[in-house]
Structures are given as structure tokens and as C-alpha cells.
């Protein structure tokens, strides 16, 4: 077996671009489906009951979040057994291919119940591939990162979710402006999905040029690969404990703050504060643009002072500010003339704890676990937490607000999870900065 190529600065840049572009494509595809889920009710389900059709459409979207952990278990195990690069290629083809196929599907009016069945099948494939990609990208990127700069080097991966969301939203908004409602319903909704074919081709070409992770090559050369990595994870007490730490603390805190600060704020401003949709989207988009450099700064900071203090600051500050921020949004947004300056300031306050978690998160996840089971140990708890706890937060916050009759009552859900995450972090979160990744 030939030795793996040295991880030169050129290779490191190539790895960053390829991993990030692929993850961007994953998020773009995943969020395009989310943005158009309400349209799918009338396109892919019987129109006799519009409410039932809408719920079925949203349920089809939700199934993608539910199966993410299954994809994490499947592809995480494969990543530890056959290689990070191989799984990277599988997940990107699966995600991109299934997304393009959504844009080619016949509607309910054309083929009846076969249409929603095909849509559900493709959505399951999307969810499985996202489960394999997210977490795996963190492992692959961190294993190529230079020691002492892992936080800065890997923080760019966390930008792909917001950028994917921005690209997907912007494309749909432009299409809806350029096309009539009838044109958009007839064929315009297909464009973002079919455009994924271009992104898939670019991403696949860049990933085919990648080398296998040097750490995986070392394991393979020593004949030290795990034969049943997930089983090893569950049998090793330290690994299992750190998987629980990931689930209840790091991934839970990051996903809760992301969905609260970047997803639910938009819904809250439009439905509760009654701000015009264009104004609400503009404010959230501005906060997202600030989040990008803030995330990179926090990744760099974690290289200087450690992962633990930056992560704990994010968890505890998020816990302290989330309720006052939404209270302020309600107050300043319901004035006779909404104070958009204060609304933006409040949204930026939420950016700070989110960046403090997402900045060092990518490097921290692989640093917690041994090399031979790292992919499985990262992917499963991260996707369980982000897909189930974080993914359920917009629904839970809305439902609790309606149930208790107060628009802020739903914040009890993210507050409770942030309390748990903060306590677990203070008690159990280790410092893993500069930990050797070969062991």
C-alpha cells in the first residue's frame, strides 16, 4: 500500500472547499424541500381537504428529520469501516440525486397516490444522506486540520447551514417574483430541485479529487479498523458517556439556538409580532450575515483559550438571553411604528451565544472520540439531537404558545433544554483542544 499524500496547505484548502461545498449542497437541498413543503400539499396530495393535505406535506418533510439518526448509524459505521472519503461520495450522490428527482416527479393530478409515495421515498433518502453527511464532514475536515488551528480551520463548515438557507430562500423568492402564481405552481417550483444537478456535478468532481483521511489510512495500514464500530461505541463506557454529552449538551445547545435564533425568530416576527413578511425576512437575513464572521471568530478563539470556556459561554449566555430577547421582539415589534433598529439589535444578541457554540463545535466533536470509532460516535448522537430535539423546537414552541395562550410560553421548551445542556456542560465537558487525533 502506498503512503497517503502529505497534508499540505494546498490539500488542506482543497479539503475545506470540497467538504464545505458538499455540506452546502446538503443543506440547500434539505431546506429547499422545507421552504416548498406548504406547496406540496396541493401538488402531491388529494385537494379535497386542504388542511389534511398541508399536514401530510409537513409530515413528509418531518420524516426526513426522523430518519436522520438512521442515516447516521448506517453511514457512520461505514465511514469507520470503509473510509471517510467513500462515504462522502455516497452521501452526496444520494442527496443530490434524490433532490433532482423531486423536481422531476409527477403530481397527484397526474398519477394519483403514486405521487406522494414517491415523494415520501425521496424524502427518506434525503434524510438518510443528511444523517451521514453531517458529523462525517466534521470528522473528515478535523482529521485534515493543522494542530493548533482546528477551531478556526473547521469553523467554516458551520457557515454552510446558514448559507444554504439563504441561497434556497433567495432563489425561491426571486422565482416567485419573476413568475406568476400559476406559473410557479405549474413548473416554477421544480427549478430549485433541478438546479441541484449543477451543484451535484461540481461537488462530486471536487470530492473525487480528495484523498482519504490520513488518520483513517494509518488505521487501515495498522489493520486497526473497527469491525463493528457502533457496537464498540455502545460497549465503551467513556465513548458512550461522551456520546451522551454530545446529545444533551453540545449538539442540543447548538441546534436549539440555531432553530430558535435563525428559524423560529422569522416565524415569530411574522405570526406573533405581525411584522410584514419582507421586513421580518430582511432582519433575520442581516443577523445571519453577522453570524458568519462571528462563527469564525469563535472558532479562532477556541484555539486560543480552549473549547470548553467558549462552549460554556455560549450555552449559559443563550440560556440567559433567549427569553428577554423574544420579550423585546414582542415589545418593540408591536409599537405603532415598529423599532426595526432595536429588533435587529435583539436578533444580534442571539447571534452571540449561537456563534460561541457553532464556532468550536466542528473541531470539538471529533476531538472527543477515538479514531477507530470516531465517525459513528459523532454522527449518531449529533443527528439524534439536532434532528429530534432541535428539529422539533419550532413545532414545540408554537404548540406550547397556543396551548397556554401566551406567545412566550413556548420558550419553556428551549429554556429547559438549555438548562440541561448548561448543567451537563459545567459538570462533564472536558477540554479537548489540541488532543491527538491519531488515538
Amino acid at each position: 500500500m502506498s503512503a497517503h499524500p502529505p497534508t499540505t496547505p494546498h490539500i488542506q484548502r482543497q479539503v475545506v472547499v470540497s467538504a464545505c461545498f458538499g455540506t452546502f449542497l446538503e443543506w440547500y437541498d434539505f431546506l429547499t424541500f422545507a421552504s416548498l413543503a406548504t406547496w406540496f400539499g396541493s401538488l402531491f396530495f388529494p385537494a379535497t381537504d386542504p388542511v389534511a393535505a398541508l399536514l401530510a406535506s409537513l409530515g413528509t418533510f418531518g420524516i426526513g428529520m426522523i430518519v436522520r439518526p438512521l442515516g447516521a448509524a448506517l453511514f457512520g459505521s461505514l465511514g469507520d469501516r470503509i473510509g471517510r472519503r467513500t462515504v462522502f461520495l455516497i452521501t452526496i450522490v444520494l442527496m443530490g440525486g434524490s433532490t433532482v428527482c423531486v423536481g422531476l416527479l409527477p403530481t397527484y393530478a397526474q398519477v394519483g397516490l403514486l405521487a406522494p409515495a414517491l415523494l415520501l421515498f425521496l424524502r427518506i433518502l434525503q434524510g438518510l444522506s443528511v444523517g451521514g453527511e453531517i458529523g462525517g464532514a466534521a470528522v473528515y475536515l478535523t482529521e485534515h486540520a493543522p494542530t493548533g488551528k482546528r477551531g478556526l480551520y473547521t469553523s467554516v463548515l458551520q457557515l454552510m447551514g446558514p448559507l444554504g438557507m439563504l441561497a434556497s430562500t433567495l432563489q425561491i423568492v426571486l422565482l416567485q417574483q419573476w413568475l406568476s402564481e400559476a406559473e410557479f405552481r405549474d413548473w416554477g417550483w421544480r427549478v430549485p430541485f433541478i438546479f441541484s444537478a449543477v451543484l451535484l456535478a461540481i461537488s462530486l468532481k471536487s470530492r473525487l479529487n480528495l484523498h482519504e483521511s490520513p488518520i483513517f489510512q494509518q488505521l487501515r495500514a495498522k489493520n486497526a479498523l473497527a469491525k463493528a464500530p457502533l457496537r464498540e461505541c455502545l460497549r465503551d463506557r467513556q465513548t458512550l458517556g461522551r456520546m451522551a454529552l454530545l446529545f444533551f449538551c453540545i449538539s442540543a445547545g447548538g441546534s436549539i439556538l440555531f432553530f430558535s435564533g435563525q428559524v423560529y425568530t422569522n416565524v415569530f416576527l411574522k405570526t406573533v409580532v405581525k411584522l410584514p413578511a419582507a421586513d421580518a425576512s430582511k432582519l433575520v437575513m442581516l443577523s445571519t450575515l453577522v453570524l458568519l464572521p462571528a462563527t469564525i471568530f469563535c472558532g479562532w478563539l477556541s484555539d486560543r483559550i480552549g473549547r470548553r470556556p467558549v462552549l460554556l459561554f455560549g450555552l449559559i449566555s443563550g440560556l440567559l438571553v433567549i427569553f428577554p430577547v423574544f420579550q423585546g421582539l414582542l415589545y418593540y415589534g408591536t409599537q405603532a411604528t415598529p423599532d426595526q433598529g432595536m429588533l435587529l439589535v435583539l436578533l444580534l444578541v442571539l447571534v452571540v451565544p449561537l456563534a460561541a457554540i457553532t464556532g468550536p463545535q466542528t473541531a470539538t466533536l471529533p476531538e472527543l472520540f477515538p479514531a477507530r470509532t470516531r465517525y459513528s460516535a459523532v454522527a449518531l448522537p449529533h443527528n439524534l439531537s439536532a434532528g429530534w430535539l432541535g428539529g422539533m423546537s419550532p413545532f414545540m414552541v408554537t404548540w406550547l404558545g397556543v396551548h397556554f395562550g401566551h406567545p412566550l410560553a413556548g420558550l419553556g421548551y428551549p429554556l429547559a433544554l438549555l438548562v440541561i445542556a448548561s448543567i451537563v456542560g459545567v459538570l462533564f465537558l472536558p477540554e479537548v483542544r489540541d488532543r491527538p487525533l491519531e488515538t
Side-chain angles (χ1 to χ4, degrees):
M1 183 189 305
S2 60
H4 63 77
T7 307
T8 63
H10 171 72
I11 291 176
Q12 290 172 352
R13 287 192 295 272
Q14 188 181 39
V15 167
V16 170
V17 171
S18 180
C20 288
F21 191 86
T23 303
F24 167 82
L25 173 59
E26 299 271 356
W27 277 108
Y28 168 86
D29 291 349
F30 201 71
L31 294 167
T32 296
F33 193 107
S35 300
L36 294 174
T38 54
W39 286 84
F40 291 162
S42 58
L43 290 169
F44 289 96
F45 298 93
T48 52
D49 187 343
V51 175
L54 175 59
L55 289 174
S57 175
L58 293 174
T60 303
F61 168 71
I63 197 70
M65 303 296 285
I66 292 172
V67 302
R68 271 180 59 175
L70 299 179
L74 170 62
F75 291 114
S77 180
L78 287 174
D80 285 323
R81 291 167 56 199
I82 66 175
R84 308 349 183 180
R85 176 182 178 271
T86 303
V87 172
F88 250 23
L89 292 171
I90 295 172
T91 56
I92 200 69
V93 170
L94 191 61
M95 185 68 180
S98 58
T99 300
V100 173
C101 287
V102 170
L104 302 175
L105 282 180
T107 63
Y108 181 84
Q110 295 170 315
V111 297
L113 290 176
L114 180 61
L118 291 172
L119 182 66
L120 180 63
F121 174 71
L122 293 174
R123 184 57 180 169
I124 290 172
L125 292 183
Q126 284 186 321
L128 290 172
S129 63
V130 167
E133 173 78 16
I134 299 173
V139 170
Y140 187 80
L141 196 54
T142 303
E143 289 183 344
H144 278 88
T147 302
K149 296 182 179 180
R150 289 179 196 149
L152 173 63
Y153 184 89
T154 63
S155 62
V156 293
L157 190 67
Q158 293 289 346
L159 310 184
M160 297 305 106
L163 286 175
M165 183 167 62
L166 286 174
S168 173
T169 302
L170 181 61
Q171 184 178 192
I172 292 170
V173 167
L174 290 176
L175 282 169
Q176 290 177 330
Q177 287 182 347
W178 293 336
L179 303 176
S180 67
E181 183 174 343
E183 289 172 329
F184 187 82
R185 181 179 297 276
D186 185 39
W187 59 268
W189 65 271
R190 299 181 184 273
V191 174
F193 295 103
I194 296 174
F195 181 69
S196 287
V198 177
L199 301 178
L200 173 60
I202 297 172
S203 183
L204 187 58
K205 183 178 184 300
S206 67
R207 288 197 173 185
L208 284 170
N209 292 330
L210 291 178
H211 299 289
E212 182 54 84
S213 157
I215 290 173
F216 183 84
Q217 292 233 38
Q218 291 173 12
L219 290 171
R220 185 161 54 190
K222 296 175 184 177
N223 198 27
L225 297 176
K227 295 181 179 178
L230 191 56
R231 187 184 304 167
E232 282 191 31
C233 290
L234 299 178
R235 286 180 174 178
D236 182 78
R237 292 186 63 182
Q238 184 181 52
T239 300
L240 187 59
R242 291 193 170 186
M243 289 173 71
L245 174 71
L246 204 59
F247 178 84
F248 288 108
C249 178
I250 304 171
S251 297
S255 62
I256 285 295
L257 285 172
F258 176 77
F259 280 101
S260 298
Q262 294 291 296
V263 178
Y264 182 66
T265 46
N266 205 346
V267 176
F268 185 83
L269 288 172
K270 292 175 182 177
T271 61
V272 177
V273 177
K274 304 298 184 184
L275 207 64
D279 291 343
S281 297
K282 179 186 70 175
L283 290 170
V284 174
M285 188 176 296
L286 288 172
S287 73
T288 301
L289 293 176
V290 174
L291 174 63
L292 306 184
T295 297
I296 294 176
F297 171 77
C298 289
W300 170 85
L301 185 63
S302 74
D303 287 329
R304 297 295 174 269
I305 67 174
R307 315 283 187 238
R308 176 181 163 88
V310 179
L311 288 166
L312 288 181
F313 170 78
L315 291 169
I316 295 170
S317 62
L319 170 63
L320 294 176
V321 304
I322 189 169
F323 187 84
V325 163
F326 277 91
Q327 197 172 34
L329 292 175
L330 186 61
Y331 176 78
Y332 289 105
T334 54
Q335 303 295 313
T337 302
D339 189 339
Q340 294 201 21
M342 279 303 302
L343 293 177
L344 179 58
V345 168
L346 289 166
L347 292 176
L348 294 181
V349 169
L350 276 182
V351 162
V352 175
L354 176 57
I357 295 178
T358 56
Q361 185 180 46
T362 303
T364 304
L365 304 191
E367 288 172 334
L368 284 168
F369 300 104
R372 60 186 275 122
T373 57
R374 182 172 290 142
Y375 203 134
S376 300
V378 168
L380 182 57
H382 181 67
N383 281 279
L384 275 170
S385 188
W388 293 6
L389 297 182
M392 286 294 292
S393 60
F395 172 81
M396 289 298 298
V397 170
T398 303
W399 180 81
L400 288 171
V402 172
H403 180 75
F404 289 103
H406 193 282
L408 300 179
L411 294 176
Y413 178 80
L415 278 171
L417 291 175
L418 286 171
V419 167
I420 295 170
S422 298
I423 293 173
V424 171
V426 169
L427 294 177
F428 301 109
L429 182 63
E431 180 54 69
V432 291
R433 177 185 54 163
D434 298 336
R435 174 186 176 273
L437 295 178
E438 293 80 11
T439 57

